[in-house]
Amino acid sequence: MGLKGGPTQDEVMAVSLRKLGIRAGDRIADIGCGTGKVSIAASLVAGRVYAVDRRAEAIAYARQAAAEAGAVNIDFFEGDAVEFLAGIDRLDCAFVGGSRRLPEVLDLLSEKVSGTIVVNAVMVETLAEAICSMKRLGIFREAVHLQVSRSAEIAGGVMFKPQNPVYIIVGGDAACS
Amino acid sequence: MGLKGGPTQDEVMAVSLRKLGIRAGDRIADIGCGTGKVSIAASLVAGRVYAVDRRAEAIAYARQAAAEAGAVNIDFFEGDAVEFLAGIDRLDCAFVGGSRRLPEVLDLLSEKVSGTIVVNAVMVETLAEAICSMKRLGIFREAVHLQVSRSAEIAGGVMFKPQNPVYIIVGGDAACS
Amino acid sequence: MGLKGGPTQDEVMAVSLRKLGIRAGDRIADIGCGTGKVSIAASLVAGRVYAVDRRAEAIAYARQAAAEAGAVNIDFFEGDAVEFLAGIDRLDCAFVGGSRRLPEVLDLLSEKVSGTIVVNAVMVETLAEAICSMKRLGIFREAVHLQVSRSAEIAGGVMFKPQNPVYIIVGGDAACS
Amino acid sequence: MGLKGGPTQDEVMAVSLRKLGIRAGDRIADIGCGTGKVSIAASLVAGRVYAVDRRAEAIAYARQAAAEAGAVNIDFFEGDAVEFLAGIDRLDCAFVGGSRRLPEVLDLLSEKVSGTIVVNAVMVETLAEAICSMKRLGIFREAVHLQVSRSAEIAGGVMFKPQNPVYIIVGGDAACS
């Protein structure tokens, strides 16, 4: 698809979901849901997924992808994450794939989320901002730098093509749910 | 624990399980199960897990860990993987965390496994052997090089401490199960 | 040696020196010289190297190492980098292996250095600070993340042991000298 | 340029040259010289560089680049590396950026080279072949996996774009020259 950033790498999603530790029935927010890939994967275990993106084309794309995947427990919100979070009651986990007002988003998430918050970042500034905000809120647990390289066949052999490295920042008071 | 190699890194396990794509009810083998960490994680979804290790201390450790985790659908086999596989009927998926006779093991797995086979390797020779065997058997899909680095607090800031890189080699005819 | 941080990794030094592009006769400062390893390597090409460290034990160690290497064109300064730089006239290049007052150091270096400035950083905060300062000064060129892994023999094969990743931040108006 | 593989990454070249440890006056072979980038850099220190490539277009390109760089101490050989090496007397160092008959080339190099041999590889098979050949010849010293990522500006920040990882395999009996 043409959405900026494209879908989350499979391996990054697998690690992010493991860090989230979603349990059956959990309520989870996917902030900056983009293509909906993480929402759809999370919906297999979660009770309800809130997929939020301020881009109409992202919500349209994700909604379509969810329908094709048969995911019926995803609610879509086109709009600002801060506004969405102001109106939500409580969450078990949250995944932030992208957001423009990260410190505010993390402020709200730290109030609403009882379990784990996972942020994906490609920019150094986002990494620093996420760690800084989580430390200020007293919820920082760890950050992971994930460098995935995938095999590619070239003349006579196999080489590894690197994907863009991603930072996975993890926070929260307790295990998810 | 004192077992050689220690438990699979969390992130490597998350990616390996994602590649395996275990479905509810699947029969899965964990060859070279070591601490049992992957067996226990797989047992949450799988129908039955066969945990195989030729080291008595590994089986004892894994059996204890499974009991503590309340995993009741894991069968333990102390002995050679080739012998175990000769006696098994069919499998949906297989994870190979370590094995001494990898080409033979992969030969047998390619016959018995209807879904995905995932090998973890730290040595270049094992990587080459796994790719070579899977290509010979016509089941090679991809290899991934995973370099995980974890944040560590040092004076005044955060740095990233690299874990040993791991190769994840994936094969099989079709999606798991 | 017992100095915090230890000597710069060989590979990181090679890349840092290449980025510096020292020419015969250049005057170069090595800020936070530690063991003196970079100073000694630079002294093979440079005309004069100023090795600066606020730790008496670092200067003692580096001075001894330089003597053993037969490097006679290194001047040692035990003390604060900001004070050293305030008293220096002009430099062709500068390497910053470590410093407590990085923004101030970069301010002064941007005035005194006619060529390239290279900063090594292991902490994310130092990376961000170096980029931010260099951008403010209009001298930021590039940053490189270097992940070196070295082969190690284990039972039956070769694996790669990762070294701590290092950021190499490069600034300056023009080529060195 | 359109040559397969393109020029050696700057950082990989810096590390490779450091491992080679070329001394003033050394005779060095650059096997699979491609664009001539390594030959030209080596020629600044070496006494004589033999740049070998079996592709006419590589030799033409490298010859032109050397002329533009003012490098007058490079001899160019269009042809097979094995044939070139059979006809050469002795070398102080050798760099192998690419070659089709690596085991034979390493056999010959181990006879002719008194100092260090450095091989660059992107394929796992070449890595394995280089290590295996060097071990057989009793000259294997180390292999390094170098993952370089370069900063790139994107909306509002800096991210790191990974380059293709390169293996640097080092062999030889003694220090170069």
Side-chain angles (χ1 to χ4, degrees), chain A residues 78-95:
Chain A
E78 181 188 325
D80 191 87
V82 170
E83 284 166 38
F84 162 77
L85 288 169
I88 197 98
D89 186 30
R90 61 160 199 82
L91 293 162
D92 295 298
C93 311
F95 174 78

Side-chain angles (χ1 to χ4, degrees), chain B residues 1-106:
Chain B
M1 76 174 299
L3 277 182
K4 180 168 147 289
T8 303
Q9 297 169 31
D10 250 23
E11 296 83 358
V12 172
M13 183 172 78
V15 172
S16 296
L17 289 174
R18 166 115 192 134
K19 300 288 183 190
L20 277 177
I22 305 169
R23 299 187 193 176
D26 273 357
R27 290 156 54 96
I28 171 169
D30 178 5
I31 307 296
C33 69
T35 66
K37 182 175 175 178
V38 172
S39 285
I40 293 167
S43 75
L44 296 176
V45 179
R48 178 119 330 246
V49 178
Y50 302 98
V52 183
D53 208 297
R54 60 184 178 78
R55 298 164 295 174
E57 67 273 25
I59 292 297
Y61 187 102
R63 197 187 292 273
Q64 173 75 12
E68 285 169 11
V72 296
N73 55 338
I74 306 179
D75 289 347
F76 295 92
F77 288 83
E78 183 188 324
D80 191 86
V82 170
E83 284 166 39
F84 162 76
L85 288 169
I88 198 97
D89 186 29
R90 61 159 199 84
L91 293 162
D92 295 297
C93 312
F95 173 79
V96 183
S99 180
R100 284 200 301 183
R101 300 161 69 185
L102 188 57
E104 282 170 275
V105 166
L106 288 172

